[in-house]
Amino acid sequence: MRLILLGAPGAGKGTQAARIASRYGIAHISTGDMLRAEIRSETPLGLMAKSIIDRGELVSDDVIIGMVKNRIVMPDCARGFLFDGFPRTIEQAEALEDICNIDYAIDIEVPFDRLIERISSRRMCPKCGSAYHVSAHPEGLCPCGGKLYQRDDDNEETVKNRLEVYGEKTAPLIEFYRTRGRLLTVNGDASVDTVEAEIARKLEG
Ligand code: ADP
Ligand code: ZN
C-alpha cells in the first residue's frame, strides 16, 4: 500500500498519518519531521533548512526528493508507506512518478478560516510526536509525560505565508491526482476518529 496525504497546513495530516500507518502496518514518512530531526541534530541540511522553514517557504525539490529516495528503501517500507507533507510541488509529484506507483492520494479538506486557528493553537509533544489543540491539555503536559511546546513555524506571520505557499504550489496536486484517477477526498472538519473512519472506509470501499 502506497499512499499520500494531501491537505493544507493544519488539516490534520500528521495526526491521521500516524493512525493510518499503524492501522495498515506501513511506514509513516513525514518530510517535515525528517527536516526537524535534521535541525535538532544541527546537520548541514538542518542548518540550511531552518531559516527556510521559519519563513514558511519550501525546501528545494532536489533536497526533498533525495531525502525521500533514501527513505523508501529502508526495511520498514517493505509493506508500503504513507507520505505526509510530500509531495508538495508538481515537480516533486513528477519525480515521485519516476520512482514508484502510488495507490491513492487522500485530500483532507478543511475550510480555510479554520486553519489559522488550528495551527496557532497547536502544541507538540517532543517525546511521542503527538499534536494537540492547546485546550486539550491546558496544563501543557502530554499523557506520555512530554512537555508540550509550540513549533517555531506555528506563529501567525509564518502560518499566513505557509497557507499562501500551499495555495500556490501544493493545492494544484489535487488536480494532478484527480486526473490520474488516484484522488480520494475526505472531510477534515470533524473529530479525529470520524476523519480516520472516513479515510479507512474510502480506502477499503
Ligand atoms: P505542515 O504540514 O503543518 O505545513 P510540515 O511539518 O509538513 O508542516 O512541514 C514544515 C515545513 O517543512 C514546511 O513549511 C516546509 O518549509 C518544509 N517541508 C516539509 N516537507 C516539504 C516538502 N515536501 N517540500 C518542501 N518543503 C517541505
Ligand atoms: Zn507525548
Side-chain angles (χ1 to χ4, degrees), residues 8-10 13 30-33 35-36 52-53 56-61 64 84-88 92 122 151 153 162:
K13 294 189 298 293
S30 161
T31 45
D33 286 348
L35 292 168
R36 282 184 288 277
I52 300 173
I53 292 176
E57 302 290 333
L58 295 182
V59 174
S60 83
D61 290 327
I64 297 288
D84 159 13
F86 173 86
R88 239 182 175 90
Q92 291 177 20
R122 173 160 69 181
R151 263 169 52 175
D153 62 343
R162 282 161 63 198

Side-chain angles (χ1 to χ4, degrees), residues 124-132 141-148:
M124 308 295 303
C125 174
K127 272 175 79 180
C128 70
S130 296
Y132 302 98
L141 274 186
C142 181
C144 85
K147 197 172 171 307
L148 299 179

